[in-house]
């Protein structure tokens, strides 16, 4: 398990709410835990795109927020289903997820990537991983995949590995799950 | 574009929306309003009707030339400047190529004026010279794009574009003419939590009663935690201060695969009514805005827990 963090310590974003920042809040999930989330996400690979939100069903249909939520739950890191529109508000209000500034804290497997209207699970696929290279081409050159994502129905591409910059080059935010031990540690 | 994707051009092209009614990509995308503008001079608008069925918009305008001499009416339909969000964007084509106009029942000839801009410059002729459509599209030919060369020190692979369509009609002295404009709208859409402040705000902005709308949603599905919300903005510059009939109907299952249960528009209908609203507006607004709230589709088969092959 990773070391305990306070809100102050976990405040890697200027927009983070650091009220009560002196109290021990919890622990970011470890990289090992992050790979558990990735392993759960992998079991959704091939699921067709359906805009079903929290009703997403493995192998039958799911969207970005639904597949992310279910992957986290299956890996043992629960949170109530949130749409992408509400995810940042939920994170701020509950501190269940904390925003990570990748310039200050390295991204790790299992982090949530959040765009306006889309979310995905970050995966730094290692060399030799079967999902690292699936023939994605960017600017004429092959590129490695670095996330699991719900794609879309228009393109007839199901949930699976893909390259972030090719999928959507605009800026995204990164969120990491915080294991909250309980309110007792927060006076 | 990826090689993997290029093998699956199942829903590409003009007929995509017709063939793939439940296609959706990102969970939320901004709308792309098509602005209708008219130069009608002394011509009178006798009747104006706006119809929204599903995503299909029809604007019917009846003109009368009571000026005592021949008149020409010109109309324009313009997109905002747009770019591309990425390969999975639902609104890959924001050019409204499906726009159709009839004048007294006959198909009108449309002039098309596409423009491309990059780093503050009009690069329309440069893009055309490279053999690329000035309007950005994720399927633009990458090899041709690389031939564009440098503009202000950078290759314009991520430019902005817009297009204006124009048409005109000549009305003899005393003549009447009926113009009908049809296109498929690109509304803003987003999944919203049923209990969220965001949904409350949006319902209130469209003159709805949030409590009544939530009751309606609960009746439709008490377990629903999220709903699909579409916002249609239909700008028609001659709508302001004119009496216009408005007719909004939604199918049982819409293009997002969701089930519309509440439609809201200020000045029209019951603020917590069903999916259909009709009425007459005569306010100062040049834009008709409609909010459609739909229940998400439920999976038809039980969860298997099995992995499907790719």
């Amino acid at each position: 398990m990773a070391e305990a963090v306070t809100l102050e310590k976990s405040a890697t974003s200027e927009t983070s709410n650091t009220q009560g920042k002196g109290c021990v809040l919890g622990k970011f999930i470890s990289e090992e835990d992050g790979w558990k989330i990735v392993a759960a996400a992998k079991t959704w690979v091939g699921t067709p795109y359906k805009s079903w939100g929290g009703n997403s069903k493995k192998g039958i249909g799911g969207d970005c927020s639904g597949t992310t939520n279910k992957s986290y739950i299956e890996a043992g890191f629960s949170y109530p289903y949130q749409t992408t529109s509400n995810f940042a508000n939920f994170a701020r209000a509950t501190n269940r997820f904390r925003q990570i500034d990748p310039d200050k804290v390295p991204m790790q497997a299992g982090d949530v990537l959040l765009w306006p209207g889309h979310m995905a699970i970050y995966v730094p696929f290692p060399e030799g991983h079967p999902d690292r290279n699936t023939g994605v081409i960017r600017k004429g050159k092959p590129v490695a995949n670095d996330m699991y994502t719900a794609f879309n129905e228009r393109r007839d591409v199901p949930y699976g590995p893909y390259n972030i910059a090719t999928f959507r080059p605009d800026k995204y935010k990164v969120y990491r799950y915080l294991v909250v031990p309980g309110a007792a540690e927060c006076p | 574009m990826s090689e993997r994707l290029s093998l699956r051009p199942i829903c590409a092209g003009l007929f995509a929306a017709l063939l793939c009614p439940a296609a959706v990509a990102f969970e939320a995308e901004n709308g792309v309003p098509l602005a209708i503008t008219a130069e009608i001079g002394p011509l009178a608008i006798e009747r104006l009707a706006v119809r929204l069925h599903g995503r299909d918009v029809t604007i019917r305008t009846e003109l009368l030339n009571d000026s005592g001499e021949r008149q020409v009416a010109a109309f324009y339909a313009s997109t905002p400047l747009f770019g591309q969000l990425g390969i999975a964007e639902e609104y890959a084509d924001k050019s409204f190529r499906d726009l159709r106009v009839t004048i007294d029942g006959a198909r009108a000839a449309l002039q098309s004026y596409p423009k491309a801009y990059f780093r503050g410059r009009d690069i329309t002729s440069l893009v055309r010279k490279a053999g690329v459509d000035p309007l950005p599209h994720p399927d633009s030919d990458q090899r041709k794009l690389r031939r564009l060369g440098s503009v202000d020190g950078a290759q314009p692979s991520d430019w902005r574009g817009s297009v204006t369509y124009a048409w005109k009609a000549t009305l003899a002295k005393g003549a009447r003419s009926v113009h009908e404009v049809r296109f498929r709208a690109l509304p803003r859409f987003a999944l919203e939590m049923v209990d969220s402040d965001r949904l409350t705000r949006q319902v209130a902005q469209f003159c709805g009663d949030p409590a009544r709308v939530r009751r309606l949603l609960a009746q439709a599905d008490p377990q629903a935690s999220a709903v699909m919300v579409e916002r249609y903005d239909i700008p028609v510059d001659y709508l302001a201060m004119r009496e216009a009939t408005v007719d909004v109907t939604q199918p049982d299952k819409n293009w997002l695969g969701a089930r519309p249960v509440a439609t809201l528009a200020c000045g029209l209908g019951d603020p917590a009514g069903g999916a259909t609203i009709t009425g007459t507006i005569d306010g100062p607004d040049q834009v008709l805005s409609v909010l459609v709230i739909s229940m998400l589709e439920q999976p038809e088969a039980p969860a298997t827990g099995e992995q499907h092959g790719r």
Side-chain angles (χ1 to χ4, degrees):
Chain A
M1 178 64 76
E3 64 175 312
V5 293
T6 63
L7 272 178
E8 184 179 39
K9 197 172 174 184
S10 70
T12 56
S13 160
E14 291 176 1
T15 60
S16 293
N17 173 10
T18 57
Q19 196 173 16
K21 61 188 179 183
C23 72
V24 175
L25 187 83
K27 298 169 182 177
F28 277 129
I29 58 169
S30 65
E31 191 163 4
E32 186 183 347
D33 290 335
W35 281 106
K36 290 178 187 169
I37 294 160
V38 168
K42 185 173 174 55
T43 67
W44 283 77
V45 170
T47 300
Y49 194 101
K50 294 289 179 189
S51 192
W52 287 350
N55 298 331
S56 296
K57 295 282 186 192
K58 189 179 297 180
I60 298 171
D63 56 20
C64 53
S65 58
T67 53
T68 301
N69 176 243
K70 301 279 184 176
S71 296
Y72 265 79
I73 292 172
E74 289 170 9
F77 302 101
S78 184
Y79 70 92
Y81 167 75
Q82 301 297 317
T83 63
T84 57
S85 300
N86 204 57
F87 189 85
N89 286 341
F90 167 76
R92 264 194 301 273
T94 64
N95 293 311
R96 169 52 79 198
F97 285 86
R98 298 290 292 165
Q99 191 182 336
I100 297 297
D101 183 344
D103 290 336
K104 298 174 183 171
V105 179
M107 288 166 64
Q108 70 179 35
D111 284 348
V112 171
L113 311 177
L114 183 70
W115 288 265
H118 190 68
M119 67 199 319
I121 293 177
Y122 175 68
V123 190
F125 292 109
E127 285 285 355
H129 191 289
D131 285 343
R132 179 181 165 88
N133 298 106
T134 52
V136 178
I137 305 294
R138 177 168 166 76
K139 295 184 176 176
K141 295 175 182 171
V143 289
N145 297 321
D146 45 11
M147 68 171 171
Y148 278 132
T149 185
F151 208 98
N152 74 10
E153 202 172 348
R154 180 174 59 80
R155 293 271 189 184
D156 190 30
V157 179
Y159 189 87
Y162 212 74
N163 173 264
I164 296 171
T166 308
F167 183 80
R168 188 165 167 169
D170 56 332
K171 284 188 86 77
Y172 53 85
K173 291 181 177 177
V174 183
Y175 286 85
R176 186 167 299 163
Y177 192 90
L178 200 65
V179 179
V180 184
E185 295 185 53
C186 246
Chain B
M1 157 160 204
S2 80
E3 290 170 353
R4 177 162 62 100
L5 291 176
S6 65
L7 297 174
R8 300 178 175 184
I10 289 179
C11 292
L14 180 63
F15 300 108
L18 296 173
L19 297 175
C20 304
V24 69
F26 296 137
E27 199 175 277
E29 281 186 26
N30 286 321
V32 185
L34 183 68
I36 310 295
T37 305
E39 291 172 8
I40 56 171
L43 294 172
I45 294 179
E46 290 223 299
R47 287 188 186 83
L48 179 59
V50 182
R51 182 167 188 261
L52 174 66
H53 176 65
R55 276 203 297 162
D56 295 329
V57 176
T58 305
I59 302 166
R60 192 172 196 272
T61 309
E62 294 184 32
L63 295 172
L64 168 64
N65 181 6
D66 56 1
S67 69
E69 58 184 325
R70 175 179 165 275
Q71 297 290 342
V72 174
F75 291 81
Y76 307 90
S78 304
T79 70
L81 270 183
F82 60 83
Q84 289 296 320
L85 261 185
I87 202 161
E89 186 177 18
E90 175 59 25
Y91 296 151
D93 187 347
K94 306 178 186 74
S95 64
F96 291 91
R97 293 174 211 270
D98 63 319
L99 176 69
R100 296 288 179 269
V101 176
T102 58
I103 301 175
D104 299 324
R107 181 94 167 259
L110 302 184
Q111 298 296 317
S112 169
Y113 302 103
K115 288 285 191 180
Y117 301 92
F118 183 68
R119 294 201 168 184
R121 283 181 52 188
D122 182 340
I123 61 164
T124 309
S125 58
L126 176 71
V127 174
R128 278 210 160 116
K129 202 171 162 185
V132 178
D133 186 336
L135 301 177
H137 194 283
D139 292 336
S140 296
D141 190 323
Q142 294 292 316
R143 288 165 303 175
K144 288 180 179 174
L145 285 177
R146 285 195 284 277
R147 278 190 235 138
L148 286 175
S150 163
V151 174
D152 198 14
Q155 191 180 4
S157 57
D158 178 27
W159 72 88
R160 296 290 179 271
S162 68
V163 59
T164 293
Y165 300 97
W167 64 96
K168 64 181 181 179
T170 303
L171 280 78
K173 188 173 78 172
R176 283 185 157 77
S177 181
V178 177
H179 289 231
E180 209 161 77
V181 179
R182 293 171 182 266
F183 60 92
R184 181 154 287 177
L186 303 180
R188 172 181 158 63
F189 65 89
L191 278 185
E192 302 288 2
M193 302 301 290
V194 171
D195 59 358
S196 68
D197 292 341
R198 286 176 54 83
L199 183 62
T200 300
R201 279 199 304 273
Q202 290 178 77
V203 168
Q205 282 169 2
F206 282 76
C207 304
D209 177 342
R212 290 184 65 191
V213 168
R214 284 207 170 84
R215 279 199 295 274
L216 200 64
L217 299 178
Q219 285 167 11
D221 181 359
Q223 305 300 320
S225 60
V227 288
M228 182 61 78
V229 179
E230 297 165 79
R231 176 186 175 132
Y232 293 83
D233 288 313
I234 305 168
V236 182
D237 78 340
Y238 49 93
L239 190 66
M241 304 307 288
R242 279 203 172 85
E243 193 171 279
T245 59
V246 175
D247 179 13
V248 182
T249 56
Q250 291 293 307
D252 292 339
K253 190 173 175 181
N254 68 11
W255 67 287
L256 294 158
R259 187 161 48 91
V261 293
T263 301
L264 302 169
C266 286
L268 281 176
D270 186 334
T276 297
I277 51 174
T278 58
T280 303
I281 54 172
D282 58 357
D285 299 324
Q286 293 187 326
V287 182
L288 173 64
S289 294
V290 178
L291 195 74
V292 179
I293 304 173
S294 306
M295 309 309 295
L296 301 182
E297 191 180 26
Q298 297 282 348
E300 290 171 1
T304 62
E306 294 173 358
Q307 181 181 343
H308 281 214
R310 287 168 64 76

